[in-house]
Amino acid sequence: MAAFARELCIKAAKEAATHSYSPYSNFKVGAFGVFENEKGEQKGFSGCNVENAAYGPTNCGERSAIFAAVSAGFIYLVEMWVYTPTQEVAAPCGVCRQVMYEFNPEAKVICVCDDPKVVLEKTVAELLPFAFGPKDLGK
């Protein structure tokens, strides 16, 4: 169970969205991931989407949060909160689902938007059935 309150997670994801660099899509995404290190300590990491004129180098908010966590030694994903300033939730893209799967297929993914009554909550495995992961490489 995550040691972070729901309100804190949503606030952090919303704050991350304010830093979005999205001049091409104008679609802001903020993410806040709760991660655990090998000692069982939990820490939160934020990320936002960062677009690029070449499109391919664009990075999503979810992956930005994951890469920050891994860089700090936190490689076990407990929860990923995703916020979009919309009236409907937006689920993570396929690439983000694949990256999240690497760090815990059973992690909770909670997607929120400007309507507090609209929430999507699934595990990574539910969002990415039949995923390819470390088990497929014999690890």
mmCIF file of all heavy atoms in Angstrom, residues 111-136:
data_model
loop_
_atom_site.group_PDB
_atom_site.id
_atom_site.type_symbol
_atom_site.label_atom_id
_atom_site.label_comp_id
_atom_site.label_asym_id
_atom_site.label_seq_id
_atom_site.Cartn_x
_atom_site.Cartn_y
_atom_site.Cartn_z
ATOM 1 N N CYS A 111 -5.933 7.219 -13.397
ATOM 2 C CA CYS A 111 -6.023 8.353 -14.312
ATOM 3 C C CYS A 111 -7.137 9.279 -13.847
ATOM 4 O O CYS A 111 -8.261 8.827 -13.596
ATOM 5 C CB CYS A 111 -6.306 7.869 -15.723
ATOM 6 S SG CYS A 111 -5.071 6.701 -16.345
ATOM 7 N N VAL A 112 -6.807 10.562 -13.732
ATOM 8 C CA VAL A 112 -7.767 11.565 -13.275
ATOM 9 C C VAL A 112 -7.787 12.732 -14.252
ATOM 10 O O VAL A 112 -6.870 12.900 -15.050
ATOM 11 C CB VAL A 112 -7.448 12.049 -11.833
ATOM 12 C CG1 VAL A 112 -7.543 10.908 -10.839
ATOM 13 C CG2 VAL A 112 -6.083 12.696 -11.762
ATOM 14 N N CYS A 113 -8.839 13.524 -14.141
ATOM 15 C CA CYS A 113 -8.997 14.689 -15.009
ATOM 16 C C CYS A 113 -9.650 15.807 -14.212
ATOM 17 O O CYS A 113 -9.708 15.738 -12.984
ATOM 18 C CB CYS A 113 -9.812 14.313 -16.246
ATOM 19 S SG CYS A 113 -11.479 13.733 -15.870
ATOM 20 N N ASP A 114 -10.165 16.810 -14.907
ATOM 21 C CA ASP A 114 -10.772 17.940 -14.211
ATOM 22 C C ASP A 114 -12.125 17.618 -13.577
ATOM 23 O O ASP A 114 -12.579 18.349 -12.715
ATOM 24 C CB ASP A 114 -10.905 19.143 -15.149
ATOM 25 C CG ASP A 114 -9.561 19.802 -15.410
ATOM 26 O OD1 ASP A 114 -8.630 19.619 -14.592
ATOM 27 O OD2 ASP A 114 -9.425 20.483 -16.445
ATOM 28 N N ASP A 115 -12.743 16.544 -14.020
ATOM 29 C CA ASP A 115 -13.994 16.106 -13.400
ATOM 30 C C ASP A 115 -13.650 15.081 -12.325
ATOM 31 O O ASP A 115 -13.258 13.956 -12.642
ATOM 32 C CB ASP A 115 -14.926 15.488 -14.444
ATOM 33 C CG ASP A 115 -16.287 15.103 -13.875
ATOM 34 O OD1 ASP A 115 -16.432 15.001 -12.632
ATOM 35 O OD2 ASP A 115 -17.216 14.895 -14.688
ATOM 36 N N PRO A 116 -13.760 15.450 -11.038
ATOM 37 C CA PRO A 116 -13.342 14.540 -9.964
ATOM 38 C C PRO A 116 -14.148 13.246 -9.893
ATOM 39 O O PRO A 116 -13.722 12.284 -9.261
ATOM 40 C CB PRO A 116 -13.530 15.368 -8.687
ATOM 41 C CG PRO A 116 -14.449 16.470 -9.053
ATOM 42 C CD PRO A 116 -14.291 16.712 -10.532
ATOM 43 N N LYS A 117 -15.284 13.198 -10.572
ATOM 44 C CA LYS A 117 -16.102 11.979 -10.566
ATOM 45 C C LYS A 117 -15.638 10.966 -11.612
ATOM 46 O O LYS A 117 -16.054 9.813 -11.592
ATOM 47 C CB LYS A 117 -17.570 12.332 -10.821
ATOM 48 C CG LYS A 117 -18.186 13.185 -9.741
ATOM 49 C CD LYS A 117 -19.629 13.513 -10.097
ATOM 50 C CE LYS A 117 -19.979 14.866 -9.514
ATOM 51 N NZ LYS A 117 -20.856 15.642 -10.342
ATOM 52 N N VAL A 118 -14.787 11.410 -12.535
ATOM 53 C CA VAL A 118 -14.329 10.540 -13.618
ATOM 54 C C VAL A 118 -12.910 10.070 -13.300
ATOM 55 O O VAL A 118 -11.965 10.852 -13.301
ATOM 56 C CB VAL A 118 -14.355 11.277 -14.983
ATOM 57 C CG1 VAL A 118 -13.877 10.359 -16.087
ATOM 58 C CG2 VAL A 118 -15.745 11.808 -15.265
ATOM 59 N N VAL A 119 -12.794 8.785 -13.013
ATOM 60 C CA VAL A 119 -11.505 8.194 -12.652
ATOM 61 C C VAL A 119 -11.407 6.834 -13.323
ATOM 62 O O VAL A 119 -12.375 6.082 -13.382
ATOM 63 C CB VAL A 119 -11.380 8.024 -11.118
ATOM 64 C CG1 VAL A 119 -10.086 7.340 -10.739
ATOM 65 C CG2 VAL A 119 -11.498 9.371 -10.409
ATOM 66 N N LEU A 120 -10.224 6.522 -13.817
ATOM 67 C CA LEU A 120 -9.947 5.200 -14.355
ATOM 68 C C LEU A 120 -8.862 4.584 -13.485
ATOM 69 O O LEU A 120 -7.805 5.184 -13.306
ATOM 70 C CB LEU A 120 -9.463 5.286 -15.804
ATOM 71 C CG LEU A 120 -8.969 3.983 -16.426
ATOM 72 C CD1 LEU A 120 -10.137 3.009 -16.622
ATOM 73 C CD2 LEU A 120 -8.267 4.245 -17.740
ATOM 74 N N GLU A 121 -9.129 3.418 -12.914
ATOM 75 C CA GLU A 121 -8.145 2.749 -12.072
ATOM 76 C C GLU A 121 -8.014 1.301 -12.520
ATOM 77 O O GLU A 121 -8.974 0.538 -12.481
ATOM 78 C CB GLU A 121 -8.551 2.811 -10.599
ATOM 79 C CG GLU A 121 -7.489 2.255 -9.680
ATOM 80 C CD GLU A 121 -7.774 2.482 -8.210
ATOM 81 O OE1 GLU A 121 -8.397 3.504 -7.862
ATOM 82 O OE2 GLU A 121 -7.376 1.626 -7.413
ATOM 83 N N LYS A 122 -6.827 0.947 -12.963
ATOM 84 C CA LYS A 122 -6.521 -0.398 -13.457
ATOM 85 C C LYS A 122 -5.095 -0.747 -13.048
ATOM 86 O O LYS A 122 -4.313 0.123 -12.691
ATOM 87 C CB LYS A 122 -6.606 -0.453 -14.995
ATOM 88 C CG LYS A 122 -7.941 -0.098 -15.579
ATOM 89 C CD LYS A 122 -8.894 -1.227 -15.456
ATOM 90 C CE LYS A 122 -10.218 -0.910 -16.135
ATOM 91 N NZ LYS A 122 -11.227 -1.905 -15.869
ATOM 92 N N THR A 123 -4.757 -2.014 -13.151
ATOM 93 C CA THR A 123 -3.353 -2.390 -13.012
ATOM 94 C C THR A 123 -2.700 -2.233 -14.379
ATOM 95 O O THR A 123 -3.381 -2.195 -15.418
ATOM 96 C CB THR A 123 -3.176 -3.843 -12.531
ATOM 97 O OG1 THR A 123 -3.657 -4.723 -13.546
ATOM 98 C CG2 THR A 123 -3.878 -4.085 -11.202
ATOM 99 N N VAL A 124 -1.382 -2.204 -14.387
ATOM 100 C CA VAL A 124 -0.663 -2.148 -15.659
ATOM 101 C C VAL A 124 -1.029 -3.365 -16.507
ATOM 102 O O VAL A 124 -1.284 -3.250 -17.704
ATOM 103 C CB VAL A 124 0.858 -2.069 -15.427
ATOM 104 C CG1 VAL A 124 1.613 -2.145 -16.750
ATOM 105 C CG2 VAL A 124 1.235 -0.806 -14.666
ATOM 106 N N ALA A 125 -1.076 -4.535 -15.882
ATOM 107 C CA ALA A 125 -1.402 -5.770 -16.612
ATOM 108 C C ALA A 125 -2.791 -5.702 -17.238
ATOM 109 O O ALA A 125 -3.005 -6.226 -18.340
ATOM 110 C CB ALA A 125 -1.293 -6.974 -15.681
ATOM 111 N N GLU A 126 -3.741 -5.057 -16.573
ATOM 112 C CA GLU A 126 -5.074 -4.902 -17.157
ATOM 113 C C GLU A 126 -5.045 -3.960 -18.358
ATOM 114 O O GLU A 126 -5.790 -4.140 -19.320
ATOM 115 C CB GLU A 126 -6.061 -4.374 -16.116
ATOM 116 C CG GLU A 126 -6.417 -5.389 -15.055
ATOM 117 C CD GLU A 126 -7.256 -4.808 -13.930
ATOM 118 O OE1 GLU A 126 -7.022 -3.639 -13.512
ATOM 119 O OE2 GLU A 126 -8.155 -5.529 -13.457
ATOM 120 N N LEU A 127 -4.171 -2.949 -18.297
ATOM 121 C CA LEU A 127 -4.055 -2.001 -19.405
ATOM 122 C C LEU A 127 -3.255 -2.573 -20.575
ATOM 123 O O LEU A 127 -3.358 -2.080 -21.695
ATOM 124 C CB LEU A 127 -3.387 -0.706 -18.930
ATOM 125 C CG LEU A 127 -4.201 0.170 -17.995
ATOM 126 C CD1 LEU A 127 -3.345 1.312 -17.471
ATOM 127 C CD2 LEU A 127 -5.443 0.703 -18.690
ATOM 128 N N LEU A 128 -2.439 -3.595 -20.293
ATOM 129 C CA LEU A 128 -1.571 -4.168 -21.320
ATOM 130 C C LEU A 128 -1.611 -5.694 -21.243
ATOM 131 O O LEU A 128 -0.657 -6.335 -20.802
ATOM 132 C CB LEU A 128 -0.136 -3.659 -21.158
ATOM 133 C CG LEU A 128 0.847 -3.996 -22.277
ATOM 134 C CD1 LEU A 128 0.446 -3.326 -23.581
ATOM 135 C CD2 LEU A 128 2.254 -3.585 -21.882
ATOM 136 N N PRO A 129 -2.734 -6.280 -21.651
ATOM 137 C CA PRO A 129 -2.818 -7.746 -21.604
ATOM 138 C C PRO A 129 -1.854 -8.387 -22.597
ATOM 139 O O PRO A 129 -1.534 -7.786 -23.622
ATOM 140 C CB PRO A 129 -4.275 -8.026 -21.980
ATOM 141 C CG PRO A 129 -4.736 -6.823 -22.715
ATOM 142 C CD PRO A 129 -3.932 -5.663 -22.193
ATOM 143 N N PHE A 130 -1.388 -9.560 -22.270
ATOM 144 C CA PHE A 130 -0.469 -10.327 -23.123
ATOM 145 C C PHE A 130 0.833 -9.559 -23.377
ATOM 146 O O PHE A 130 1.402 -9.613 -24.464
ATOM 147 C CB PHE A 130 -1.134 -10.723 -24.449
ATOM 148 C CG PHE A 130 -2.448 -11.393 -24.272
ATOM 149 C CD1 PHE A 130 -3.629 -10.728 -24.550
ATOM 150 C CD2 PHE A 130 -2.514 -12.690 -23.779
ATOM 151 C CE1 PHE A 130 -4.866 -11.345 -24.369
ATOM 152 C CE2 PHE A 130 -3.744 -13.316 -23.589
ATOM 153 C CZ PHE A 130 -4.923 -12.645 -23.880
ATOM 154 N N ALA A 131 1.291 -8.838 -22.362
ATOM 155 C CA ALA A 131 2.486 -8.004 -22.496
ATOM 156 C C ALA A 131 3.749 -8.838 -22.668
ATOM 157 O O ALA A 131 3.842 -9.975 -22.202
ATOM 158 C CB ALA A 131 2.630 -7.111 -21.271
ATOM 159 N N PHE A 132 4.733 -8.250 -23.280
ATOM 160 C CA PHE A 132 6.070 -8.820 -23.392
ATOM 161 C C PHE A 132 6.893 -8.226 -22.269
ATOM 162 O O PHE A 132 6.909 -7.017 -22.071
ATOM 163 C CB PHE A 132 6.689 -8.442 -24.742
ATOM 164 C CG PHE A 132 8.054 -9.021 -24.968
ATOM 165 C CD1 PHE A 132 8.192 -10.277 -25.548
ATOM 166 C CD2 PHE A 132 9.197 -8.336 -24.591
ATOM 167 C CE1 PHE A 132 9.440 -10.833 -25.752
ATOM 168 C CE2 PHE A 132 10.453 -8.878 -24.785
ATOM 169 C CZ PHE A 132 10.578 -10.137 -25.381
ATOM 170 N N GLY A 133 7.542 -9.067 -21.489
ATOM 171 C CA GLY A 133 8.320 -8.558 -20.364
ATOM 172 C C GLY A 133 9.526 -9.413 -20.053
ATOM 173 O O GLY A 133 9.879 -10.309 -20.841
ATOM 174 N N PRO A 134 10.172 -9.139 -18.930
ATOM 175 C CA PRO A 134 11.380 -9.874 -18.557
ATOM 176 C C PRO A 134 11.203 -11.392 -18.574
ATOM 177 O O PRO A 134 12.130 -12.119 -18.937
ATOM 178 C CB PRO A 134 11.676 -9.364 -17.143
ATOM 179 C CG PRO A 134 11.066 -7.999 -17.107
ATOM 180 C CD PRO A 134 9.838 -8.100 -17.962
ATOM 181 N N LYS A 135 10.016 -11.863 -18.224
ATOM 182 C CA LYS A 135 9.754 -13.311 -18.200
ATOM 183 C C LYS A 135 9.920 -13.929 -19.585
ATOM 184 O O LYS A 135 10.285 -15.084 -19.731
ATOM 185 C CB LYS A 135 8.365 -13.595 -17.644
ATOM 186 C CG LYS A 135 7.242 -13.115 -18.545
ATOM 187 C CD LYS A 135 5.876 -13.359 -17.969
ATOM 188 C CE LYS A 135 4.745 -12.889 -18.810
ATOM 189 N NZ LYS A 135 4.890 -11.883 -19.796
ATOM 190 N N ASP A 136 9.660 -13.136 -20.616
ATOM 191 C CA ASP A 136 9.771 -13.630 -21.988
ATOM 192 C C ASP A 136 11.224 -13.765 -22.445
ATOM 193 O O ASP A 136 11.505 -14.415 -23.441
ATOM 194 C CB ASP A 136 8.996 -12.721 -22.937
ATOM 195 C CG ASP A 136 7.520 -12.715 -22.615
ATOM 196 O OD1 ASP A 136 6.899 -13.795 -22.683
ATOM 197 O OD2 ASP A 136 6.992 -11.645 -22.257
#
